[in-house]
Amino acid sequence: MITRTWHGIVPTTKKDNYLNYLQRTGLHDYSGTKGNLGLQVLQRIEGDITHFLLITFWDTTDSIRAFAGEQYEKARYYPEDAD
């Protein structure tokens, strides 16, 4: 099994909207990728900033490539991420 992590931060005032966004984009796509063995979403509030840590579990690097592309060691971003 291969574990992959991603960390992001948002203003705490946007944390609920961001979690909904994650569920529609990355979490949905993780779950729909063959070879994904599961995922966890951790959230930590530090005052005005909320941290999100995503942990995904994979069977092979080929499965990760199917999700993230050839440069699978880099994060996959969505157009709305900049917001």
Side-chain angles (χ1 to χ4, degrees):
M1 178 174 27
I2 302 166
T3 302
R4 188 170 189 247
T5 62
W6 177 87
H7 173 251
I9 59 172
V10 297
T12 297
T13 57
K14 295 183 177 183
K15 71 178 179 61
D16 293 333
N17 288 341
Y18 190 68
L19 181 57
N20 289 332
Y21 169 70
L22 284 176
Q23 290 170 334
R24 289 190 323 270
T25 58
L27 302 181
H28 176 266
D29 291 348
Y30 284 138
S31 298
T33 302
K34 184 178 177 184
N36 178 269
L37 304 175
L39 60 95
Q40 293 183 334
V41 178
L42 306 176
Q43 188 181 125
R44 183 179 77 241
I45 299 171
E46 289 184 341
D48 295 343
I49 299 294
T50 297
H51 297 261
F52 286 87
L53 178 63
L54 280 55
I55 305 168
T56 56
F57 306 96
W58 302 89
D59 61 355
T60 66
T61 54
D62 287 337
S63 297
I64 299 169
R65 278 188 188 93
F67 168 76
E70 283 304 310
Q71 294 184 338
Y72 69 93
E73 293 175 334
K74 294 186 177 185
R76 174 181 167 181
Y77 290 101
Y78 292 82
E80 300 91 349
D81 284 349
D83 293 339

